[in-house]
């Protein structure tokens, strides 16, 4: 059996994906997502007063706010004007953005949505198109308490960055699981964020440290090793499909 972490809003869909792939897996939600409406409104106000070159969307949970922001830009745009470049941190975020923004008026220049080669903050900063960030106005749509690496890195390159924290994660009192399970049945753990990994360790104790772990960045892997996990692997894509493919290619299930 596999044990994987997801925030509560994504738990059911991920469990369905693992089940459809023929993998015996139990999902664990250690946190929920709470949206911050005031920050979403603040984005539209900022865009009404400021010309923006790049919008960076760091999570699927930031997509709705990004959609509102882009729609407000489209409404005030003149024919043949250009829209900001949009960078999505990963495939799932990009796919949701494409779906949300597919109805773009023909008189507006096409919307460009790009993803980095490695789906992390480090991957975004490594994108060649951001090497010449000096003088660029960048809006970062993210979660409350998230990393400041993108803003700090782009500011160091001479960009002007404005971050909007449109959601926050709230730790659940007890994890919610998709089905009953026992630690002795688990043969591998998939952790898609450092916070959820640490919450899972806190709830389950040292019993799960000896199991093989799969995570989505070397940064999280380093953190897990420091906590005592001896066998950690990295898949640089956080989608259900990428994780399932990695497991089928590398673990015997």
């Amino acid at each position: 059996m596999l044990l994987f972490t997801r925030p509560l809003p994504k738990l059911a869909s991920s469990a369905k994906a693992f089940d459809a792939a023929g993998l015996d897996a139990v999902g664990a939600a250690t946190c929920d997502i709470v949206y911050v409406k005031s920050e979403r409104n603040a984005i539209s106000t900022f865009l009404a007063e400021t010309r923006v070159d790049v919008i960076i969307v760091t999570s699927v949970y930031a997509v709705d706010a990004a959609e509102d922001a882009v729609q407000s830009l489209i409404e005030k745009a003149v024919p043949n004007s250009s829209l900001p470049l949009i960078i999505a941190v990963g495939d799932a975020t990009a796919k949701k953005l494409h779906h949300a923004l597919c109805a773009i008026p023909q008189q507006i220049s096409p919307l460009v949505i790009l993803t980095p080669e490695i789906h992390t903050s480090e991957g975004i900063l490594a994108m060649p198109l951001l090497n010449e960030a000096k003088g660029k106005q960048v809006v970062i749509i993210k979660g409350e308490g998230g990393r400041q690496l993108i803003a700090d890195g782009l500011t160091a390159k001479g960009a002007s960055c404005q971050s909007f924290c449109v959601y926050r994660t709230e730790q659940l009192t007890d994890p919610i699981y998709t089905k009953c399970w026992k630690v002795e049945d688990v043969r591998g753990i998939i952790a898609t964020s450092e916070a959820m990994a640490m919450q899972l360790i806190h709830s389950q104790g040292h019993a799960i440290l000896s199991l093989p772990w799969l995570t989505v960045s070397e940064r999280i892997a380093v953190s897990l090793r420091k906590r005592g996990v001896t066998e950690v692997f990295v898949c640089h894509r956080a989608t259900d499909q990428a994780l399932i493919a990695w497991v089928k290619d590398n673990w015997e299930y």
Side-chain angles (χ1 to χ4, degrees):
M1 174 185 286
L2 292 170
L3 174 62
F4 66 86
T5 65
R6 286 296 191 191
L8 187 57
K10 198 173 182 182
L11 186 63
S13 62
S14 291
K16 184 177 180 180
F18 276 83
D19 184 61
L23 294 176
D24 183 16
V26 56
T30 62
C31 65
D32 198 0
I33 302 296
V34 178
Y35 292 97
V36 184
K37 185 176 181 180
S38 59
E39 283 289 282
R40 292 179 62 164
N41 295 336
I43 298 174
S44 296
T45 300
F46 181 82
L47 294 177
E49 301 171 350
T50 310
R51 183 185 182 279
V52 173
D53 301 294
V54 182
I55 296 175
I56 298 175
V57 188
T58 67
S59 165
V60 292
Y61 306 113
V63 168
D64 287 347
E67 179 185 7
D68 289 348
V70 173
Q71 290 296 345
S72 68
L73 287 174
I74 291 172
E75 289 171 2
K76 72 174 185 178
V78 297
N80 300 318
S81 62
S82 60
L83 292 170
L85 170 68
I86 296 181
I87 297 175
V89 71
D91 292 335
T93 303
K95 182 178 180 180
K96 189 172 180 180
L97 278 167
H98 277 293
H99 180 75
L101 303 173
C102 61
I104 301 296
Q106 292 299 309
Q107 69 267 28
I108 305 299
S109 298
L111 191 64
V112 178
I113 302 175
L114 301 177
T115 57
E117 183 176 349
I118 298 176
H119 296 176
T120 61
S121 297
E122 290 85 353
I124 288 176
L125 288 176
M127 295 177 75
L129 61 92
L130 293 178
N131 286 340
E132 299 297 328
K134 186 175 182 179
K136 299 287 187 183
Q137 177 67 60
V138 181
V139 163
I140 303 171
I141 306 178
K142 60 193 289 288
E144 188 177 289
R147 302 171 71 199
Q148 287 293 114
L149 186 67
I150 296 174
D152 292 345
L154 291 178
T155 299
K157 293 181 180 182
S160 177
C161 297
Q162 181 67 41
S163 296
F164 295 92
C165 301
V166 298
Y167 69 93
R168 64 178 180 268
T169 58
E170 289 190 353
Q171 185 173 347
L172 298 171
T173 303
D174 296 300
I176 294 175
Y177 301 103
T178 55
K179 59 185 177 183
C180 295
W181 65 286
K182 295 183 293 184
V183 172
E184 53 264 33
D185 294 332
V186 177
R187 299 176 60 191
I189 298 175
I190 301 173
T192 50
S193 83
E194 182 177 4
M196 287 189 288
M198 296 307 144
Q199 290 163 8
L200 189 61
I201 291 171
H202 177 75
S203 68
Q204 296 300 321
H206 293 286
I208 61 175
L209 297 181
S210 60
L211 293 167
W213 287 62
L214 174 64
T215 189
V216 294
S217 76
E218 186 58 37
R219 178 184 61 84
I220 302 174
V222 169
S223 181
L224 286 169
R225 293 185 187 108
K226 289 180 179 178
R227 287 299 302 266
V229 178
T230 57
E231 194 175 3
V232 187
F233 304 91
V234 177
C235 172
H236 290 292
R237 299 288 190 272
T239 63
D240 294 326
Q241 293 74 20
L243 293 168
I244 288 168
W246 192 99
V247 168
K248 288 189 171 183
D249 288 343
N250 295 278
W251 285 349
E252 295 181 4
Y253 288 98

